[in-house]
Amino acid sequence: FETAGWLGIETTTKHFADALSKSVRKAGYRVTQRLGPGYSYKINGEEGRWPLEEQLQLFSIFDDVDLPVRLLDGSCAMMPKMSRSGLYGLAPLN
């Protein structure tokens, strides 16, 4: 079940990114790589890590919304387990 859940999240994320890309392309933008709390990234040749604890700030944007996902106290991991958070950036096409 865990593998099926992971595949579902991967597929849904890809479809979301594709739909977002099509939508913003009309306005002259492209979607950047998705960044998520708890992962490391190379930016301008240097590795940086987005601490998982900063997920609290990301979730605070939705304080007035009853989300089907919650953060576990202490670890800031999401429940249900097969959940995904993150941000996409927009950059000019040129």
Side-chain angles (χ1 to χ4, degrees), residues 14 21 24 31 51 53 59 62 85:
K14 182 174 178 2
S21 291
V24 300
V31 175
E53 297 76 22
F59 271 63
F62 302 99
S85 68

Side-chain angles (χ1 to χ4, degrees), residues 17-58:
D18 290 346
L20 182 60
S21 291
K22 288 178 187 173
S23 176
V24 300
R25 182 173 288 277
K26 296 173 189 173
Y29 293 97
R30 64 179 177 81
V31 175
T32 65
Q33 174 186 347
R34 182 186 145 283
L35 301 176
Y39 291 93
S40 296
Y41 301 95
K42 278 208 171 191
I43 300 172
N44 296 328
E46 295 195 26
E47 188 162 320
R49 185 172 185 282
W50 187 0
L52 188 59
E53 297 76 22
E54 289 188 12
Q55 195 148 241
L56 286 167
Q57 292 174 316
L58 187 59

Side-chain angles (χ1 to χ4, degrees), residues 54-88:
E54 289 188 12
Q55 195 148 241
L56 286 167
Q57 292 174 316
L58 187 59
F59 271 63
S60 73
I61 296 168
F62 302 99
D63 275 346
D64 297 334
V65 179
D66 186 23
L67 296 175
V69 177
R70 66 181 178 87
L71 296 179
L72 297 175
D73 292 335
S75 70
C76 294
M78 291 181 284
M79 277 305 279
K81 185 177 179 182
M82 291 296 158
S83 300
R84 179 169 282 175
S85 68
L87 298 172
Y88 289 95

